[in-house]
Amino acid sequence: MAYQEQKTTGYGTRVGNSFKAIGSGLIMFCIGTALLWWNEGRTVKTEKMLEEVGGSYVEMENPNKKDASLDGELICASALATTEDSLSDAQFGVGAKAIALHRRVEYYQWVENSEEKSEDKLGGKEVTTTTYTYSKKWVSTPVESSEFKDPAYQNKNTVLTTVEEADQYAENVKFGAYKLNEALIHRISSSEGLDLAISEDMLKQFDKNAQVAYERFYGTKKNATQAVEQPAETAVLSDSAKAVADSLKAVNDSIIKNAVNKKDFEYVHQAGNVLYFGRVPGSPEVGDVRVTFEKVVPAKVTVMAVVDGDSFKPYKAKNGKRFQTLVMGKKSGDEIIEADKEANNMWLWVLRVVGVMLVIGGLKGIFGFLETLLKVVPFLANIFGWGVGVVCTILGLAWSLIVIAIAWLFYRPILGISLLVIAGFLTWVFAFKGKDKLKELAAKAKK
């Protein structure tokens, strides 16, 4: 059964909080305005930089041979990224000759979910009901269950071990006859599982430590097939969600069952590139830990950067923006530039939407006290609040268009003037046509 908490807030407190919200609303409004302004400038500068890059780069035909004439030139070239560096994970005694090693960690934990529902009462009070439900999930960090609201779930989490995530990168990665810099190395994404070769002694020590942690928490040693008593989960899965979960479990079981280099102890299991701390990998218990190891292997990549001796450095455009990139596979310079332009345009609209929402949210925070003052009669407050929301939305959109237009005036005057005209039209419609509509409705009401 779900756990619920109710909180009642008096009318005076709500009014006081609404006046305090004016300050945070003003801050949100200013942040939204600044974001809109910055975003327009960022977009134009990035676009101009990409246009400059598109007209400045040269194709490096044979990166396997150094060409002194290309030193200082912005080039586009494809070659195999390789390394002779050997990387090792000392904590687990594994390693490989690789461009990078990645260690990822997951913990099986109870997770608290909450849902709030507020109800206005006559006289201005507000009753907020918070419903807490709990479910078990794989998460990236341990969950502190002592802070759960439901006492039945408090202190129900543990971990058999704690492991930090880690990334290691080779220092010497060759790109034909050249060497990749650190930023370019980090962009290589040809990951595959790292076959583990953890020593028997280390696995036995891990198993012993995990057993101690398991028995300390559960209090007694259990058979692998014996279910661990836990509070019943309140989250109910739909049929489709159950089907997906069952499918994922089947795939996970199949991977573990068929994995090579498999070693099983009572509390530790090694299979393929996964080290599992727990009794039964296919049926996780709270406290189980899953560590996945990956390596980045040599792969064909395409680089766009300035040749700097036997390495590369970023290209600096006339407007100060810097550019260097590495993409997987063989790509032409035009394909890379086009993809970056599309990404730049996508971010333009994403940040525009965020900025507009911040501006509208800020205005609602500033004028929200007007609705709160009427909360003594919830019905009237809801109607008035709807009107405030509409007004704030219209004013927020108009203000956002004005900010965007003024920002673009510095770069593209024609588009900026067009946006100002649209914003002026919206303001006129709201200020004058809206007033006429209200007079018309008032006249009809008198009849």
Side-chain angles (χ1 to χ4, degrees), residues 418-432:
S418 300
L419 290 174
L420 283 174
V421 170
I422 295 173
F425 176 74
L426 287 175
T427 303
W428 177 77
V429 168
F430 171 73
F432 296 99

Side-chain angles (χ1 to χ4, degrees), residues 352-373:
R352 274 179 177 172
V353 171
V354 172
V356 171
M357 296 302 293
L358 285 172
V359 168
I360 293 174
L363 289 173
K364 288 181 178 180
I366 293 172
F367 296 104
F369 73 93
L370 296 174
E371 177 186 358
T372 306
L373 289 174

Side-chain angles (χ1 to χ4, degrees), residues 44-82:
V44 175
K45 289 179 180 179
T46 301
E47 184 176 331
K48 287 184 176 181
M49 179 268 289
L50 291 174
E51 290 175 354
E52 184 178 330
V53 168
S56 303
Y57 79 92
V58 296
E59 294 284 353
M60 179 183 279
E61 299 295 338
N62 184 15
N64 294 314
K65 183 179 180 180
K66 291 183 182 178
D67 187 345
S69 66
L70 293 177
D71 196 44
E73 293 285 344
L74 173 64
I75 60 91
C76 177
S78 298
L80 188 66
T82 63

Side-chain angles (χ1 to χ4, degrees), residues 254-271:
S254 176
I255 291 173
I256 293 173
K257 181 179 179 181
N258 299 316
V260 296
N261 197 25
K262 182 178 178 182
K263 295 180 181 179
D264 284 313
F265 291 82
E266 193 171 4
Y267 293 88
V268 173
H269 309 270
Q270 172 189 300

Side-chain angles (χ1 to χ4, degrees), residues 165-376:
E165 293 198 344
D167 296 299
Q168 293 185 56
Y169 293 90
E171 294 183 1
N172 303 292
V173 178
K174 292 182 179 180
F175 178 80
Y178 295 86
K179 178 182 175 181
L180 297 179
N181 61 37
E182 183 179 359
L184 295 176
I185 293 172
H186 286 204
R187 293 182 65 91
I188 302 174
S189 57
S190 51
S191 297
E192 63 178 41
L194 172 66
D195 287 334
L196 303 181
I198 303 175
S199 69
E200 292 282 340
D201 290 340
M202 184 174 288
L203 288 173
K204 288 178 180 179
Q205 186 61 49
F206 287 156
D207 184 70
K208 181 179 179 181
N209 294 340
Q211 179 180 354
V212 171
Y214 186 94
E215 295 181 359
R216 182 188 301 120
F217 180 73
Y218 288 112
T220 180
K221 184 175 180 180
K222 296 178 180 290
N223 295 325
T225 56
Q226 185 177 354
V228 178
E229 293 183 3
Q230 293 284 4
E233 294 187 45
T234 56
V236 179
L237 295 177
S238 64
D239 291 340
S240 60
K242 288 180 179 178
V244 172
D246 292 341
S247 175
L248 290 174
K249 182 179 181 298
V251 171
N252 182 58
D253 292 347
S254 176
I255 291 173
I256 293 173
K257 181 179 179 181
N258 299 316
V260 296
N261 197 25
K262 182 178 178 182
K263 295 180 181 179
D264 284 313
F265 291 82
E266 193 171 4
Y267 293 88
V268 173
H269 309 270
Q270 172 189 300
N273 68 320
V274 177
L275 184 63
Y276 192 97
F277 293 82
R279 298 283 290 170
V280 185
S283 300
E285 298 177 85
V286 171
D288 286 6
V289 181
R290 188 166 60 190
V291 187
T292 305
F293 299 83
E294 293 181 335
K295 61 180 178 180
V296 176
V297 298
K300 190 72 169 286
V301 300
T302 300
V303 169
M304 284 191 75
V306 174
V307 178
D308 184 25
D310 64 347
S311 187
F312 301 96
K313 65 180 181 180
Y315 174 81
K316 186 175 181 180
K318 294 177 181 177
N319 61 12
K321 296 281 286 185
R322 295 178 180 272
F323 176 86
Q324 69 171 347
T325 191
L326 179 149
V327 298
M328 302 305 297
K330 184 176 182 179
K331 302 287 184 181
S332 68
D334 290 345
E335 287 177 323
I336 293 174
I337 296 301
E338 185 61 31
D340 280 5
K341 285 183 177 179
E342 290 177 2
N344 184 45
N345 190 57
M346 179 197 70
W347 279 109
L348 165 66
W349 286 101
V350 168
L351 294 177
R352 274 179 177 172
V353 171
V354 172
V356 171
M357 296 302 293
L358 285 172
V359 168
I360 293 174
L363 289 173
K364 288 181 178 180
I366 293 172
F367 296 104
F369 73 93
L370 296 174
E371 177 186 358
T372 306
L373 289 174
L374 296 176
K375 286 294 184 179
V376 287

